[in-house]
Amino acid sequence: MALKGRKSSSKNPPILSHEFVIQNHADIVSCIAMVFVIGLMVQVTSPFAYMFIGVHHNVTREQDGVISEAPEVIRYTYGWKDVCAVFFYFLICIVMHAIIQEYILDKISRKLHLSKVKHSKFNESGQLLIFYVMSVLWGGDVIFRENYVLNISSLWEGYPHNEMVFMFKFFFIVQLSYWLHCYPELYLQKTKREEMPARITYATLGLIYILGAYLLNFSRVGICLVVLHYTSEALFHAARLIYFLDKAENGSKAGYLVANAVFVLVRLGSIILSVLTFWYGLSLSDNQGLDVERGNFNTQIIRIAALAAVCILQAWLMWNFITFHLKRMRELEPAQPVARKPKQEKKSASKRKKEENKRNVEDDELPEVDQNTNKSLRSRATAAKSK
């Protein structure tokens, strides 16, 4: 089964041309990914291929120098082999993006007959909604399994949190892979130049914040903040899709109202959670100091920097939210019609204005004297002009 990319007016573009790569990028990338999968079946290449497909840096069997034959929970830490895993799942994200685009979104958009601008927003919201919903369900499952909701102090107790279960670590690898795949998608999806800055900014922020939480061992508070943020974003993109699908616009108004309310609550909740973790919880920890080998980054500078980074992001998102809605309110305000004066009033007003202007001109021509002799001087000036 061949996977199709973006359709082009040219049926048979030249091989290795830009149009050929864009049109067949899903097939090309899937073939590269299949090389690693087939490598698992060969004994010589199996270790190399597994380095890209599997999750590495298992620390369960190395605890206290005792080899455990059947550990109850296998735990992992991060390391350089994670780069290989991120690259492989980066390829998988490109393939999945093309599958969703071709077999779900394109079929729906053909029936809607959207304009070019709305078609681009529809595709963006469709892709992001699927990713956000999957991430919220996945991250929520990890949060409830690790009991972070009922035991909020576990977000900072026992730091450094450099050990993760399989699904926990795999969650961060997929997140990094997804935001990395957004950069080539700008080319593969023929994104317009005016849309690129916003998408690049959003992908870069997601990549930097998730990578920072992963490398600094703030993974517990990081996954909670990610799930909160993705929940508000999922509601927004769901409301936008309802707007495109619902011609009556009744459902979209309710959807946007819920999304806006949740957006504000999530910003507030993210700041509260960050303050509790970085300002209060980690500052009371006995394990203070910088130790890169153990993965301990619990210093005052790093805590303040992490808290400031989260608060600045929330403030920036809130600023964009407020400015967008203020601009929209101005656009929706009806223009106030100017009341027209009757013709007679216009004529009388214009006549009075001319007389006033004439008097002002005559006053300017006269020298500065007392106001009592102004009338006599004006009459003499008019008499002189008549002569």
Side-chain angles (χ1 to χ4, degrees), residues 2-15 17-28 98 102 187-190:
L3 300 177
K4 301 177 182 179
R6 301 286 291 177
K7 292 192 174 181
S8 172
S9 59
S10 177
K11 294 183 180 179
N12 297 312
I15 297 176
S17 63
H18 289 286
E19 194 62 33
F20 177 84
V21 173
I22 292 172
Q23 200 170 12
N24 302 281
H25 73 273
D27 293 327
I28 296 171
E102 178 65 23
Y187 167 73
L188 298 174
Q189 298 296 325
K190 294 182 178 180

Side-chain angles (χ1 to χ4, degrees), residues 259-294:
N260 293 338
V262 173
F263 181 88
V264 176
L265 293 176
V266 166
R267 303 284 77 78
L268 181 62
S270 299
I271 293 174
I272 292 173
L273 193 61
S274 300
V275 170
L276 281 175
T277 303
F278 296 112
W279 187 263
Y280 173 75
L282 291 176
S283 63
L284 300 177
S285 176
D286 297 331
N287 196 3
Q288 301 277 344
L290 180 63
D291 190 352
V292 179
E293 293 183 358
R294 293 182 55 196

Side-chain angles (χ1 to χ4, degrees), residues 40-102:
L40 288 174
M41 304 177 185
V42 182
Q43 186 175 3
V44 178
T45 59
S46 179
F48 178 77
Y50 182 72
M51 186 171 59
F52 286 85
I53 299 175
V55 177
H56 299 277
H57 303 288
N58 183 354
V59 294
T60 303
R61 296 183 179 181
E62 300 175 1
Q63 291 179 351
D64 300 330
V66 180
I67 299 176
S68 177
E69 296 181 356
E72 294 182 358
V73 179
I74 299 176
R75 297 190 176 274
Y76 300 85
T77 186
Y78 65 82
W80 67 270
K81 291 183 180 180
D82 293 342
V83 178
C84 301
V86 168
F87 173 74
F88 177 77
Y89 292 102
F90 159 82
L91 301 177
I92 299 301
C93 287
I94 294 177
V95 176
M96 293 302 299
H97 189 114
I99 292 174
I100 294 169
Q101 184 66 44
E102 178 65 23

Side-chain angles (χ1 to χ4, degrees), residues 75-366:
R75 297 190 176 274
Y76 300 85
T77 186
Y78 65 82
W80 67 270
K81 291 183 180 180
D82 293 342
V83 178
C84 301
V86 168
F87 173 74
F88 177 77
Y89 292 102
F90 159 82
L91 301 177
I92 299 301
C93 287
I94 294 177
V95 176
M96 293 302 299
H97 189 114
I99 292 174
I100 294 169
Q101 184 66 44
E102 178 65 23
Y103 295 102
I104 299 177
L105 298 178
D106 283 349
K107 290 184 177 180
I108 298 174
S109 61
R110 288 193 198 103
K111 299 178 181 179
L112 298 176
H113 304 289
L114 301 172
S115 62
K116 290 184 179 180
V117 176
K118 289 185 177 181
H119 186 266
S120 176
K121 292 182 179 180
F122 177 82
N123 291 335
E124 180 189 11
S125 294
Q127 294 283 352
L128 289 174
L129 178 62
I130 294 173
F131 170 70
Y132 287 145
V133 171
M134 181 204 72
S135 299
V136 168
L137 295 176
W138 188 351
D141 179 69
V142 173
I143 290 172
F144 281 104
R145 285 179 182 272
E146 296 294 323
N147 197 24
Y148 295 154
V149 177
L150 300 178
N151 186 16
I152 194 70
S153 61
S154 61
L155 296 179
W156 56 81
E157 287 181 352
Y159 183 84
H161 308 138
N162 49 7
E163 295 183 4
M164 298 168 281
V165 296
F166 173 81
M167 294 302 291
F168 200 163
K169 179 174 180 176
F170 194 48
F171 175 84
F172 277 93
I173 289 176
V174 172
Q175 295 296 315
L176 295 173
S177 303
Y178 183 86
W179 292 118
L180 277 174
H181 108 284
C182 292
Y183 296 104
E185 286 296 338
L186 298 173
Y187 167 73
L188 298 174
Q189 298 296 325
K190 294 182 178 180
T191 305
K192 295 180 180 180
R193 287 188 177 182
E194 55 268 19
E195 297 178 358
M196 283 187 180
R199 297 192 183 188
I200 291 174
T201 301
Y202 202 79
T204 304
L205 287 174
L207 184 64
I208 291 173
Y209 277 80
I210 292 174
L211 184 62
Y214 186 65
L215 295 179
L216 297 176
N217 290 322
F218 297 141
S219 54
R220 294 185 181 182
V221 65
I223 194 172
C224 294
L225 293 175
V226 165
V227 170
L228 282 174
H229 178 69
Y230 285 178
T231 301
S232 65
E233 292 296 317
L235 291 173
F236 168 75
H237 289 287
R240 184 192 272 184
L241 290 177
I242 293 172
Y243 169 75
F244 292 130
L245 296 173
D246 186 13
K247 295 181 179 179
E249 298 185 2
N250 294 326
S252 62
K253 289 181 180 179
Y256 278 122
L257 183 62
V258 174
N260 293 338
V262 173
F263 181 88
V264 176
L265 293 176
V266 166
R267 303 284 77 78
L268 181 62
S270 299
I271 293 174
I272 292 173
L273 193 61
S274 300
V275 170
L276 281 175
T277 303
F278 296 112
W279 187 263
Y280 173 75
L282 291 176
S283 63
L284 300 177
S285 176
D286 297 331
N287 196 3
Q288 301 277 344
L290 180 63
D291 190 352
V292 179
E293 293 183 358
R294 293 182 55 196
N296 185 11
F297 300 94
N298 189 11
T299 64
Q300 186 177 8
I301 296 175
I302 295 177
R303 289 198 308 269
I304 294 175
L307 178 60
V310 175
C311 293
I312 289 172
L313 177 62
Q314 306 307 315
W316 180 74
L317 292 172
M318 199 66 197
W319 171 260
N320 291 338
F321 177 80
I322 294 171
T323 52
F324 170 78
H325 283 281
L326 288 176
K327 182 180 178 181
R328 189 163 182 82
M329 287 172 61
R330 293 192 197 100
E331 292 175 353
L332 294 176
E333 283 181 357
Q336 295 180 357
V338 180
R340 295 184 177 180
K341 296 181 179 179
K343 292 183 178 180
Q344 294 180 355
E345 292 183 3
K346 284 185 176 179
K347 289 181 180 180
S348 59
S350 61
K351 189 175 180 180
R352 287 196 300 269
K353 192 173 183 180
K354 287 180 180 179
E355 291 177 355
E356 290 177 359
N357 292 335
K358 188 176 179 182
R359 290 176 183 174
N360 292 333
V361 171
E362 292 175 352
D363 289 339
D364 292 337
E365 293 176 356
L366 297 175

